[in-house]
Amino acid sequence: MKEQTSFLKGIKDGFPICIGYLSISFAFGIYACSCGLSVWEAVIMSLTNLTSAGQLASVPIIVAGGTLAELAVSQIVINMRYALMSVSLSQKLGKSVKMLDRFIIAFANTDEVFAVASSNEETVGKRYLYGLILTPPLGWTLGTLLGAAAGNILPAMLVSALGIAIYGMFIAIVMPKARTEKPTALCVAVAIILSCLFYYVPTLKAIPAGFTIIICAVVASGIFAFLAPLNIAEEDNDQ
Amino acid sequence: MKNFYIYLIVMAGVTYLIRMLPLVLIKKKIKNKYLLSFLYYIPYAVLSAMTFPGIFYSTGSVVSAVVGTIIALLLAYLKRSMVTVAALSCAGVFLTELIMKMI
C-alpha cells in the first residue's frame, strides 16, 4: 500500500481541525473561567491535555477540591476511547514512522486528528502526520485563551451556536464515507441507535458517557467486522 | 482547591498514557481479517456514537440544535468541507435562536 508522506497535505488536512478547535475550546475557556480557574490555568490545561470531554469533566472536580483518584478515574473513563483509536491508528502508520515519532504523535491523537488520519486511502507517513498535528493544538490552546480572556463580552446566543461546531465536524467526516459504503452506513446506524438507547433508557442512563461510547463503538464495529469484513488481500501483499 | 498543577499533571499524564501505550506497544501489522475490519469501522462508529444524541443538546435549545443538525447532514451529504459544514451549521443555530427570540 502507498504511503502518504506529504507534509503540506498534512497541514492542509489539519488546518480545518485547528479552525474547528478554535470555536470549541473557546466555549471551554468560558466555562473553565466561569467555574473559577484562572485564564492561565485554563490555557495550560488545554495545551497539555488536548481533550474536550476530559477537560470539561475535570473542571468541577478540581474546583471542588476532589481527590486525585476521582480525577484520574474520570479521565480514564472519558478518554479510554483514545486507546481504541490508538490501536486503530497503529495499523495505519507507514514505514517512515519510527518509535520516537509514535511518542510524539500519540500526544495529539484527538478524535478529529484520528478520524482525518484514518480517512486517508494510503498509510500515513511521518511527514504527513507532523503536518497534520501541527496546527490543531495551536487552535485548541488559542481558542481557550480567547474564550477565557474575552468570553464574557460575547453574547450568549453566539456561544450557544458555537456549541454545535464539533458535531458538525464529526458529521462531515462520517457522512461521505457512509454515503458510498453501505456496511459503514449500517454500522453507523447501529452505533447511533445504541447510543440513543444508552441516553434515553432510564436504567442504562446510569452508565458514564465515556463507557457508553466505547460499548456502542465496539458492538457496532464488531457486528460489521463479521457481517461485512474488508477485502484485505491487496494490503497483505505489501506487508 | 489543592495545588492546580498536581491535578494538571495527573490528568495530562493519564490522558497521554491512554493515547501513547497502544501506539507504542503495537508495532506489528495485524493480519486477522476480522480484527482489521473491526478497526476499520471503529472511527466511524465512535464519532457517530459521540454525535448522537449529544448534538441535540449542544446548543441553547433542542429546536435550534435540530436545525443545525439537518444543515450539517445535508451539507456533509453534498461532500462539503469540514469547516463549511461546521460553520453553516453554527450559522443555522444562530439564526434559528434569533428567530425564536423574536417570535
Side-chain angles (χ1 to χ4, degrees):
Chain A
M1 203 196 281
K2 273 172 63 179
E3 184 170 331
Q4 175 58 258
T5 55
S6 162
F7 182 74
L8 274 180
K9 170 82 163 43
I11 294 276
K12 195 171 155 273
D13 285 358
F15 194 66
I17 303 177
C18 169
I19 299 295
Y21 279 178
L22 268 178
S23 66
I24 305 157
S25 60
F26 189 88
F28 170 74
I30 295 172
Y31 172 75
C33 282
S34 72
C35 289
L37 291 193
S38 71
V39 173
W40 174 241
E41 286 168 345
V43 168
I44 197 164
M45 183 189 280
S46 282
L47 183 64
T48 53
N49 280 267
L50 224 60
T51 162
S52 55
Q55 287 179 217
L56 276 174
S58 77
V59 172
I61 297 173
I62 293 173
V63 171
T67 63
L68 292 175
E70 190 185 346
L71 181 68
V73 170
S74 78
Q75 298 302 302
I76 291 170
V77 171
I78 294 168
N79 291 337
M80 195 47 90
R81 68 178 188 283
Y82 292 129
L84 211 55
M85 295 185 197
S86 282
V87 174
S88 183
L89 186 65
S90 75
Q91 298 303 305
K92 191 78 187 167
L93 299 177
K95 293 202 176 73
S96 63
V97 182
K98 303 287 183 261
M99 204 31 133
L100 179 65
D101 305 319
R102 289 174 185 247
F103 279 102
I104 297 168
I105 291 156
F107 174 75
N109 189 19
T110 64
D111 301 308
E112 296 77 13
V113 165
F114 163 70
V116 169
S118 305
S119 65
N120 279 278
E121 292 297 325
E122 312 91 341
T123 59
V124 285
K126 173 171 138 175
R127 294 171 59 83
Y128 171 80
L129 283 166
Y130 281 130
L132 181 64
I133 67 171
L134 188 65
T135 58
L138 295 178
W140 186 248
T141 308
L142 182 64
T144 306
L145 174 65
L146 293 175
N152 294 333
I153 58 174
L154 273 194
M157 260 174 57
L158 198 58
V159 177
S160 157
L162 291 176
I164 204 170
I166 188 172
Y167 297 107
M169 289 170 70
F170 289 162
I171 289 177
I173 291 167
V174 174
M175 186 58 114
K177 202 80 178 175
R179 191 188 150 169
T180 47
E181 293 174 9
K182 202 177 164 203
T184 306
L186 292 172
C187 175
V188 161
V190 169
I192 289 174
I193 292 168
L194 288 175
S195 169
C196 287
L197 285 179
F198 275 111
Y199 195 91
Y200 294 113
V201 175
T203 45
L204 296 176
K205 236 178 171 168
I207 302 168
F211 281 142
T212 65
I213 288 166
I214 296 173
I215 296 169
C216 296
V218 167
V219 171
S221 303
I223 292 173
F224 285 89
F226 278 95
L227 288 184
L230 303 173
N231 183 6
I232 53 160
E234 179 200 338
E235 280 131 270
D236 267 350
N237 295 335
D238 255 323
Q239 296 300 314
Chain B
M1 195 160 129
K2 293 183 196 136
N3 187 336
F4 171 77
Y5 291 95
I6 297 177
Y7 284 118
L8 187 78
I9 290 166
V10 168
M11 65 184 288
V14 167
T15 304
Y16 179 66
L17 283 178
I18 292 172
R19 283 174 169 151
M20 180 271 281
L21 288 176
L23 207 57
V24 167
L25 294 179
I26 306 175
K27 277 177 289 186
K28 289 227 171 91
K29 287 284 176 198
I30 296 170
K31 301 267 185 181
N32 184 291
K33 181 166 104 167
Y34 297 105
L35 194 51
L36 276 176
S37 308
F38 173 78
L39 294 174
Y40 174 84
Y41 288 121
I42 278 291
Y44 306 106
V46 170
L47 293 185
S48 318
M50 285 175 75
T51 303
F52 292 97
I55 191 169
F56 299 129
Y57 310 104
S58 65
T59 70
S61 86
V62 177
V63 178
S64 67
V66 168
V67 172
T69 306
I70 293 170
I71 291 173
L73 288 172
L74 219 71
L75 291 172
Y77 190 81
L78 298 171
K79 299 193 174 169
R80 294 291 181 268
S81 77
M82 214 153 73
V83 172
T84 310
V85 174
L88 290 181
S89 142
C90 286
V93 170
F94 186 80
L95 288 178
T96 309
E97 292 188 7
L98 202 66
I99 293 167
M100 283 166 67
K101 234 181 188 174
M102 288 190 297
I103 295 173

